[in-house]
Amino acid sequence: MGTPGDQRIRVRCACGARLAAPPNAAGRRVRCPKCGQAVAVPSAAPAAPSLPSVGALPGDVAISDPVQVGTPPTITPTASPPPPRDDVYRLTPQAASPKPPRLREPAAVPTQVCPSCRKTLPASDVICVECGINIKTGRSLLITQDEGLDETYANTEGLLRWLSWVVPIGAYPVASEAFGCRKPWVVRTTAVATTIISLWFLAAVVFNPEPAAAQANLMLWSGQRTAAQTNPSHDDFVETEVRYQPHQLVTHAFLHGGLLHLASNLLFLLVLGSRVNALIGNILTVALYPLLAIASALAHLAATASEPLHPMLGASGAVMGLAGMYLVLFPIHKVHMAAWWRLGWIGAFQLNLKLFAVRGFWVVLFYIAFDVVYTTFGLKDDVAHWAHLGGFLTGAAAALLLLVVRLVNAHGDDLISVLLGKHAWKLLGTPNRAGRALW
């Protein structure tokens, strides 16, 4: 608080400080002790005698330093003056960061639509991975099964080194690359059953000088009975009880007249038939195999009706039916063949063996060509060529029917798709459709 009679002159500095200067500083400049700026002190006004002194006000800063009266002194600032108060709150503008370059929108990529699955693909693609076809041609990529071929080749070479002494010349399939998703249980079971029944039959009938009529009637009997057969002698094989019976249409396919006959039929059954079984499923195979045997038997009966009564046995008719299905379902899949010859003294008993692969349709057509030639020119031998043709045609027709009704999907590898390309889709469906083969 100030004392009575205090005549200090009060001024306000630009920094906001209130100063109380002594009377002798009137008209001069004083230095603000807070900010250091020079502040002009006005001349002292005559004091009002009637008014008492109010003393110092709160917040006043007393200036007690003597100030020389006279010319206002030049005040040399010892420090740079502070910036204006509004600069305290002013943000120093920073250099604007450069704008990122404007990205150019990528150019539209040309596209195309797969004609099979309708998926949009880049125009540069040639193959549709979704359904596995060539987009330009509509033909499917060939899916093959080639595992175990090295082992098959090694086993074939080892087997033929001793088999060629018994069979000096031959050409047979040993493996197929046709692809199927199912295990061929029906064909494998049929091969085992055929082997067991054929061995039993060989022991009971072929090697028995007096076979029973019941066992002989398991073969297919065809033709007309001659006078000699109506009244046979005691040593004749055929008796009056031997005749055609309906069950022979199937039972003949499980019988064989020798080990080589059995082995050759089983080889075709396992190589070609197992691939058909793997594609169409086991339920269809178990229904079709007896039908193929029946069809081959009926063809043989019709072709030999006027001949003398004779038996026919062997699975070759039914196996050729599976070969006909193979031709329709897998015409371009490769079949691996083994061809060999051992010509005895002429070739110094040296084995000549060739293992090679060829398209499936060449293999099937090669073997069926023998039947066509023999039946066309009426040549005779111990082979039931009409049974082969009957089974083959029935198998090919059955495969075509399964494709058309879309019960089986060969994924564009079938004969119709190979010949017509994508034009076959209206008839068979697209290659990527789900197959409905049973079990």
Side-chain angles (χ1 to χ4, degrees):
M1 295 290 295
T3 59
D6 187 2
Q7 298 298 319
R8 292 177 181 272
I9 302 174
R10 292 169 174 81
V11 294
R12 185 180 294 274
C13 179
C15 68
R18 288 180 297 179
L19 309 178
N24 59 354
R28 301 187 180 187
R29 294 177 180 272
V30 297
R31 183 175 299 158
C32 176
K34 185 176 181 181
C35 64
Q37 292 188 15
V39 180
V41 180
S43 298
S50 59
L51 294 177
S53 175
V54 297
L57 296 177
D60 288 350
V61 179
I63 301 176
S64 56
D65 296 338
V67 180
Q68 184 178 0
V69 180
T71 303
T74 302
I75 301 175
T76 303
T78 59
S80 299
R85 291 183 64 85
D86 57 348
D87 285 349
V88 176
Y89 305 100
R90 184 179 301 165
L91 297 178
T92 303
Q94 299 179 351
S97 58
K99 293 183 179 181
R102 185 176 181 181
L103 298 178
R104 184 177 299 176
E105 296 183 0
V109 178
T111 60
Q112 60 181 332
V113 177
C114 172
S116 174
C117 63
R118 311 307 302 173
K119 182 178 179 180
T120 301
L121 303 169
S124 59
D125 285 6
V126 179
I127 303 299
C128 176
V129 180
E130 186 72 20
C131 55
I133 70 163
N134 185 304
I135 301 174
K136 305 301 180 184
T137 64
R139 300 186 185 278
S140 297
L141 299 179
L142 194 62
I143 303 176
T144 62
Q145 176 176 299
D146 56 0
E147 59 179 346
L149 283 179
D150 293 338
E151 183 180 358
T152 300
Y153 272 38
N155 294 336
T156 301
E157 291 178 355
L159 177 63
L160 290 178
R161 290 192 182 280
W162 64 265
L163 182 61
S164 60
W165 291 100
V166 181
V167 183
I169 186 171
Y172 288 93
V174 295
S176 169
E177 294 184 5
F179 179 77
C181 299
R182 298 161 180 85
K183 294 292 185 180
W185 296 118
V186 173
V187 164
R188 293 175 182 177
T189 303
T190 302
V192 172
T194 301
T195 302
I196 295 174
I197 296 174
S198 294
L199 293 177
W200 165 82
F201 180 78
L202 287 173
V205 176
V206 176
F207 300 137
N208 189 350
E210 295 182 1
Q215 296 169 341
N217 274 321
L218 295 177
M219 296 183 289
L220 177 66
W221 290 90
S222 176
Q224 298 179 355
R225 191 181 300 275
T226 63
Q229 293 171 335
T230 304
N231 301 298
S233 63
H234 178 73
D235 297 332
D236 286 336
F237 173 79
V238 181
E239 301 180 1
T240 56
E241 292 84 0
V242 175
R243 64 187 183 279
Y244 164 75
Q245 298 179 35
H247 66 266
Q248 298 171 1
L249 296 175
V250 176
T251 58
H252 79 279
F254 293 90
L255 310 176
H256 290 82
L259 295 179
L260 292 178
H261 184 206
L262 172 64
S264 61
N265 281 341
L266 289 180
L267 187 59
F268 278 89
L269 175 64
L270 292 174
V271 173
L272 302 183
S274 63
R275 298 296 86 213
V276 174
N277 186 176
L279 178 67
I280 71 175
N282 290 292
I283 292 179
L284 288 175
T285 305
V286 78
L288 282 173
Y289 188 77
L291 293 178
L292 295 175
I294 292 173
S296 64
L298 292 176
H300 179 75
L301 288 174
T304 60
S306 60
E307 296 181 4
L309 186 65
H310 63 279
M312 191 272 283
L313 74 169
S316 56
V319 170
M320 288 305 296
L322 293 175
M325 297 186 70
Y326 189 96
L327 176 65
V328 173
L329 300 175
F330 307 111
I332 58 176
H333 283 79
K334 290 184 178 180
V335 175
H336 294 263
M337 301 288 296
W340 74 94
W341 60 94
R342 191 190 290 270
L343 301 180
W345 293 105
I346 300 176
F349 294 100
Q350 183 178 359
L351 173 62
N352 295 279
L353 173 62
K354 179 68 174 179
L355 296 171
F356 59 96
V358 65
R359 299 288 185 185
F361 71 92
W362 287 118
V363 176
V364 176
L365 294 179
F366 173 78
Y367 286 101
I368 202 65
F370 288 97
D371 301 306
V372 173
V373 170
Y374 272 79
T375 54
T376 301
F377 296 99
L379 305 176
K380 299 295 182 180
D381 59 1
D382 294 331
V383 179
H385 296 286
W386 279 107
H388 292 180
L389 290 175
F392 174 81
L393 295 175
T394 302
L400 290 172
L401 179 62
L402 293 177
L403 290 173
V404 171
V405 300
R406 302 185 181 182
L407 193 60
V408 170
N409 180 17
H411 307 286
D413 298 336
D414 56 273
L415 184 62
I416 299 177
S417 298
V418 169
L419 295 177
L420 302 180
K422 61 183 179 181
H423 299 291
W425 295 350
K426 294 182 179 180
L427 182 65
L428 307 180
T430 57
N432 66 324
R433 69 177 176 85
R436 293 182 292 168
L438 305 177
W439 190 48

